[in-house]
Amino acid sequence: MSETNNVEQMIKVMSRNGWRITDQRRLLAEIFAKTDGYLSPKYVYDQMTVHYPSVSFDTVYRNLRLLSEMGALEQFYFMDGGLKFRMNCSNHHHHHLICMNCEKTLTFDYCPMETTLKLPGNFKIINHRFEVYGVCEECQESS
Amino acid sequence: MSETNNVEQMIKVMSRNGWRITDQRRLLAEIFAKTDGYLSPKYVYDQMTVHYPSVSFDTVYRNLRLLSEMGALEQFYFMDGGLKFRMNCSNHHHHHLICMNCEKTLTFDYCPMETTLKLPGNFKIINHRFEVYGVCEECQESS
DNA sequence: CTATCTGCAAAAAGTTTGCACTTTT
DNA sequence: AAAAGTGCAAACTTTTTGCAGATAG
């Protein structure tokens, strides 16, 4: 099943980068594998403590940072400046549709940079950011 | 000249909202009127102290927040999570081209949401964010 | 066995709040 | 004179760092 695969894949990435596979890191992988939204450090920490009460916030934080540095997670500052992480789906370029209530995200392939976009100035384009924010179907119903 | 106009316009917005025009607020308006990029609270504070050494950081912070709540400034979290402010150009919808080096920004009218964009799920779309990051002509030359 | 990782504690950095004093209106 | 704004200090939140003991490889 796919959740397990995601866990194993993340573990493999860590191993390949020479990291040790601790219980904490395995649990971290499991938490991300079973969610498709952006998670805050605090949320991840709370989830961790459910199965592993002695874990420290620093360790969670540290590993979140390391995992995104190595590319297994994707790091993201929301519109309100809050830091979030999600499993990296970097295989192909895409953008996100994000629920402002539950923060579940869907990906879509349309990219505005692929159109013949006439931009002012003579900038050397490096990067872009495009996200659509809204309320998902479930959250619309439950309000 | 246009910089002075911008200052007067910001002052007018504050007055209209029932705010008092203090030296600090006038200076704040002048700082934003003469820059077309996003400014960090720290940068604004540093600029303030040049002409008004006794100003406190809290006052700058407080006024930046208040000015964006009332719409005279636009508040923005950069890709790295840093908070920035710039004069609000809210008259018409547009997006920004931002220099990653000097943070000068140019606006452009193209909006990806105006195309017939097929998005997954049944989200109620509320908002979107589209920015292009690059290096402006001057910064390319000086490197 | 050794290098890496964890947990604790403490330090930075960024942001907000309470309050007495000053300034605008 | 009254109401609102300022500056100072302190609290709070989020993120980072140092280090002794624990653990994966």
Side-chain angles (χ1 to χ4, degrees):
Chain A
M1 101 208 202
S2 134
E3 282 184 15
T4 314
N5 287 344
N6 284 339
V7 174
E8 292 316 319
Q9 192 183 323
M10 274 185 80
I11 302 261
K12 217 179 293 172
V13 174
M14 297 195 243
S15 272
R16 200 185 313 137
N17 284 58
W19 291 22
R20 294 189 172 168
I21 308 306
T22 62
D23 293 347
Q24 292 90 331
R25 283 178 179 164
R26 182 172 291 277
L27 187 47
L28 207 54
E30 284 167 16
I31 288 168
F32 278 99
K34 72 172 165 225
T35 353
D36 58 350
Y38 283 92
L39 309 181
S40 71
K42 185 157 177 11
Y43 176 87
V44 176
Y45 172 68
D46 289 343
Q47 290 296 305
M48 293 278 282
T49 54
V50 172
H51 302 285
Y52 202 118
S54 70
V55 77
S56 76
F57 195 73
D58 326 70
T59 299
V60 175
Y61 225 95
R62 197 160 21 207
N63 281 321
L64 288 174
R65 182 156 39 85
L66 292 170
L67 279 165
S68 36
E69 273 168 17
M70 93 169 46
L73 293 178
E74 188 181 342
Q75 172 179 326
F76 188 90
Y77 287 92
F78 264 60
M79 293 234 285
D80 65 352
L83 179 58
K84 298 278 165 67
F85 296 86
R86 73 169 265 150
M87 281 201 69
N88 196 348
C89 28
S90 61
N91 336 13
H92 75 294
H93 182 74
H94 63 263
H95 294 281
H96 287 136
L97 175 56
I98 302 165
C99 176
M100 294 172 82
N101 187 246
C102 69
E103 282 171 3
K104 184 174 66 185
T105 62
L106 299 180
T107 64
F108 57 92
D109 286 341
Y110 174 83
C111 176
M113 297 308 280
E114 279 161 15
T115 63
T116 47
L117 183 48
K118 190 84 189 92
L119 293 170
N122 279 311
F123 278 54
K124 187 167 92 195
I125 308 295
I126 307 225
N127 214 331
H128 64 284
R129 176 170 182 160
F130 176 43
E131 300 110 39
V132 180
Y133 293 86
V135 182
C136 74
E137 200 159 9
E138 292 91 66
C139 289
Q140 286 175 59
E141 284 163 5
S142 65
S143 62
Chain B
M1 104 204 197
S2 135
E3 282 184 14
T4 314
N5 288 344
N6 283 340
V7 174
E8 293 314 319
Q9 192 184 322
M10 275 185 80
I11 303 261
K12 217 181 290 174
V13 173
M14 297 196 242
S15 273
R16 200 186 312 138
N17 284 58
W19 291 21
R20 294 184 173 174
I21 308 308
T22 62
D23 293 346
Q24 291 91 330
R25 283 177 180 165
R26 182 173 291 278
L27 187 46
L28 208 54
E30 282 167 16
I31 288 168
F32 279 98
K34 72 171 164 227
T35 353
D36 60 350
Y38 284 92
L39 308 183
S40 71
K42 184 155 180 14
Y43 176 86
V44 176
Y45 172 68
D46 289 343
Q47 290 296 305
M48 293 277 282
T49 54
V50 173
H51 301 284
Y52 200 118
S54 69
V55 76
S56 76
F57 194 73
D58 325 67
T59 298
V60 175
Y61 225 95
R62 197 159 23 207
N63 280 322
L64 287 174
R65 183 156 37 84
L66 291 170
L67 279 166
S68 35
E69 275 167 17
M70 91 167 46
L73 293 178
E74 189 181 341
Q75 174 178 322
F76 187 89
Y77 287 92
F78 262 60
M79 294 233 285
D80 66 351
L83 179 58
K84 299 278 167 67
F85 296 85
R86 73 169 264 150
M87 281 201 70
N88 196 348
C89 29
S90 61
N91 336 12
H92 77 291
H93 183 74
H94 62 264
H95 294 281
H96 287 136
L97 175 57
I98 301 165
C99 176
M100 294 171 82
N101 187 245
C102 67
E103 282 170 4
K104 184 175 64 185
T105 62
L106 299 179
T107 63
F108 58 90
D109 287 340
Y110 173 83
C111 175
M113 298 308 281
E114 280 161 14
T115 64
T116 49
L117 183 47
K118 189 87 190 87
L119 294 171
N122 279 310
F123 278 54
K124 187 167 93 195
I125 309 295
I126 306 221
N127 214 332
H128 64 283
R129 175 169 182 161
F130 176 43
E131 297 112 41
V132 180
Y133 293 86
V135 181
C136 75
E137 201 158 8
E138 291 91 66
C139 288
Q140 285 175 59
E141 284 162 7
S142 64
S143 63

